[in-house]
Amino acid sequence: MTMPAARGRIRIFATYTGLVAHAQFMRAGLNHHRTIDSPMTELLDSLLRGSAVTARFSRDATLQGMLDFEVALAAAEAEAGLIPAAAVAPITAAARASDLDWAALRDDAASAGNLAIPLVKQLTARVKALDADAARFVHWGATSQDAIDTGLVLQVRGALDDLGGDLDGLIRQLTEQVRQHRATVMVGRTWLQHALPITFGLKLAGTLDALLRARADLANVREQVLCVQFGGAAGTLASLGTQGADVAAALARHLGLSDVATPWHGQRDRIVRVGGWAASLTGSLGKFARDTALLTQTEVGEIAEASGPGRGGSSTMPHKRNPVGCAAILAAAARTPQLVATLFAAMQQDHERGLGTWHAEWETLPELLMLCGGAAATARTLVDDWTVDTARMRANLEITHGLIMAEAVTMALGEAMGRLEAHRRVEARCRDALAQQRHLLDVLREDSDITRILSIEALERLMDPQHYLGAAETFVSRVLTLADAATPISQPGRKSQ
């Protein structure tokens, strides 16, 4: 043997030895993993994903969704005469997620490339134990993506039921709060600074209006997304001859889903549609939580989250009353944009089935929906239990000693001297009030150019926040009218928190 050839064999042997050692290490790691009861993320479920939506994406729910597809497929194909009618009962009896070896499914998915392949293998074995002939017809004419996508759609349907229930509940709560506080005057803030008086009712009406839009959008999302996936190996259902389209329609009927014009293995706009809706809703809830958290600051003190043993405390500061509900909602709102971005990126599927891009959806969409569900449920608890300090809201209007009413005086003066000159003069008086640490009204009273146009009584009225709310009441009334007219979404199987 020549020296170069010997070196080559040595390299090959060394590489092989290294691969064997790595495989042994990985097997040891997998065996160790089997001793772990659950993922670390479950420790945070009650904080970040504490709604009924989370159960929709449990291990068993994920497997059962695919099994439900297999049962419905068998029923549809039996109706079409493609498989024996006697095969349906054994397939149905064997299709229980609780009976599957989930640890084997997890491990086998690593080599199979998806969960459906080992699932169908286990299901077939279980059917064979009941009826050997029926086992021949498990997964007849289908492909893995049919089972996985349709199973996911069934999970999404349940999640949207739960989200719709919490959304309806939150809308009811906010509608009541808007009515209660439609005349509660408070500071409006822009760029985190005092701007003009608004009402707390108007502030909440903005959130309510956004949630009403989300509820209207949900009906459209359900219509477009809750549909069957059934295209077979390459989207033609050639394995079913001329009966493919009829079986697809029957399959959809058995599952309570819509049929589609064409299989959507490579067209992922439906996944993005539901993910985008959930991300948008979570963003609206995040905006609501951000404002609420800012109003709970010690220096502001206009809202307080519920307190109690173990809630909102500090490990070292006994006096703390932290806005933990707001924190959970904001955490969800911070994560969902990146999750929905992954779904958008995964739209670039390869030909008739995506390589890796399809796989990227599997954990992303469930996590997005679970975070959205957690945020919605937390928002309901937040509104139900919060304390609104209307007296503090009124008191905070006076923190700037009348400066918050400077625009009201400017607009009144502008009718006589023009807006720009009025703005210049009132701005100068505002600087005087700040420098002298005096109330703006007192400084305005001493300006003869101003009092020649506006009487002391007129100035006093202009400095009252209650008299400078503009169309706030009109806007509140419009949103309440929309809320009263909107019909709550009612879907079978909904679970409300």
Side-chain angles (χ1 to χ4, degrees):
M1 181 182 300
T2 64
M3 188 63 69
R7 288 197 186 102
R9 290 194 176 188
I10 290 171
R11 290 193 191 101
I12 292 171
F13 178 75
T15 302
Y16 172 76
T17 304
L19 289 172
V20 170
H22 177 70
Q24 290 172 341
F25 173 78
M26 291 300 293
R27 281 196 294 273
L30 285 174
N31 289 332
H32 172 71
H33 181 67
R34 290 191 184 99
T35 67
I36 299 174
D37 292 330
S38 59
M40 180 278 292
T41 53
E42 290 189 12
L43 293 173
L44 298 175
D45 277 349
S46 62
L47 174 63
L48 300 177
R49 292 171 287 273
S51 80
V53 174
T54 297
R56 301 290 187 176
F57 296 100
S58 68
R59 180 183 67 215
D60 283 354
T62 299
L63 300 178
Q64 193 61 55
M66 290 185 279
L67 291 172
D68 289 347
F69 165 84
E70 298 294 346
V71 169
L73 176 62
E77 291 178 332
E79 289 177 4
L82 289 171
I83 70 172
V88 177
I91 292 173
T92 303
R96 293 194 301 266
S98 58
D99 294 336
L100 296 179
D101 183 349
W102 69 267
L105 288 176
R106 177 199 62 204
D107 296 346
D108 292 344
S111 57
N114 64 59
L115 279 170
I117 294 173
L119 179 140
V120 170
K121 184 177 180 181
Q122 283 197 30
L123 176 60
T124 302
R126 291 187 54 77
V127 173
K128 187 174 183 179
L130 299 174
D131 185 326
D133 188 60
R136 298 164 49 211
F137 302 102
V138 173
H139 199 66
W140 189 262
T143 192
S144 299
Q145 188 167 5
D146 294 333
I148 291 174
D149 279 355
T150 302
L152 177 62
V153 169
L154 294 174
Q155 292 176 277
V156 167
R157 179 172 64 187
L160 294 182
D161 287 348
D162 297 330
L163 279 165
D166 275 332
L167 186 53
D168 285 341
L170 184 56
I171 285 171
R172 287 192 298 270
Q173 290 171 283
L174 284 177
T175 299
E176 180 182 341
Q177 291 284 310
V178 169
R179 284 199 171 94
Q180 181 179 344
H181 293 289
R182 66 193 307 166
T184 300
V185 185
M186 67 177 297
V187 174
R189 297 169 172 90
T190 61
W191 287 31
L192 299 176
Q193 307 293 307
H194 284 211
L196 294 174
I198 62 170
T199 64
F200 189 44
L202 178 63
K203 192 174 192 69
L204 295 177
T207 297
L208 177 57
D209 195 24
L211 297 185
L212 289 170
R213 291 192 293 275
R215 184 165 68 179
D217 288 343
L218 178 55
N220 295 327
V221 169
R222 294 181 66 95
E223 181 179 355
Q224 295 180 19
V225 172
L226 301 184
C227 58
V228 73
Q229 173 75 285
F230 188 51
T236 65
L237 289 175
S239 58
L240 302 184
T242 60
Q243 294 179 276
D246 292 336
V247 171
L251 173 61
R253 173 170 48 81
H254 279 286
L255 293 172
L257 299 174
S258 299
D259 195 9
V260 292
T262 180
W264 45 282
H265 291 151
Q267 303 296 334
R268 312 308 288 176
D269 54 290
R270 289 181 171 91
I271 299 298
V272 170
R273 181 95 164 100
V274 69
W277 176 84
S280 177
L281 173 57
T282 309
S284 294
L285 295 173
K287 154 64 176 171
F288 170 66
R290 178 72 68 193
D291 284 354
T292 302
L294 291 171
L295 295 177
T296 69
Q297 288 181 283
T298 305
E299 297 82 358
V300 181
E302 296 177 0
I303 291 179
E305 283 198 24
S307 63
R311 180 177 177 84
S314 164
S315 62
T316 184
M317 295 173 284
H319 67 282
K320 291 300 292 294
R321 188 174 177 179
N322 293 318
V324 294
C326 291
I329 298 170
L330 287 168
R335 292 185 60 198
T336 49
Q338 288 71 39
L339 291 168
V340 78
T342 297
L343 297 180
F344 273 104
M347 291 183 76
Q348 301 171 42
Q349 304 273 318
D350 314 288
H351 297 305
E352 279 60 60
R353 181 162 301 115
L355 176 67
T357 45
W358 173 45
H359 301 65
E361 300 170 353
W362 295 346
E363 292 182 317
T364 303
L365 182 61
E367 179 67 6
L368 203 164
L369 289 170
M370 288 189 288
L371 288 170
C372 181
T378 300
R380 291 192 64 183
T381 301
L382 173 62
V383 175
D384 196 44
D385 297 336
W386 69 10
T387 299
V388 178
D389 191 338
T390 58
R392 186 65 176 265
M393 287 179 174
R394 183 74 191 195
N396 284 343
L397 286 162
E398 286 299 318
I399 285 179
T400 60
H401 304 293
L403 294 180
I404 195 171
M405 302 308 300
E407 185 192 74
V409 177
T410 299
M411 297 305 293
L413 279 176
E415 294 179 8
M417 63 175 62
R419 189 199 65 81
L420 192 60
E421 176 58 22
H423 184 280
R424 184 193 65 78
R425 188 172 293 274
V426 174
E427 183 180 37
R429 299 295 78 78
C430 288
R431 288 197 297 268
D432 292 342
L434 284 169
Q436 300 167 21
Q437 296 186 358
R438 299 171 63 198
H439 198 283
L440 178 60
L441 179 59
D442 295 333
V443 175
L444 293 173
R445 284 186 180 124
E446 296 172 358
D447 189 320
S448 57
D449 290 334
I450 291 176
T451 54
R452 273 198 300 270
I453 298 171
L454 299 172
S455 67
I456 300 300
E457 293 77 10
L459 285 172
E460 290 174 347
R461 179 177 176 80
L462 288 169
M463 296 299 291
D464 183 353
Q466 193 74 46
H467 295 147
Y468 201 66
L469 295 173
E473 174 59 26
T474 299
F475 297 148
V476 166
S477 295
R478 287 177 179 175
V479 175
L480 288 175
T481 298
L482 291 173
D484 291 339
T487 303
I489 299 166
S490 178
Q491 296 293 339
R494 167 170 300 160
K495 294 180 182 177
S496 242
Q497 288 293 98

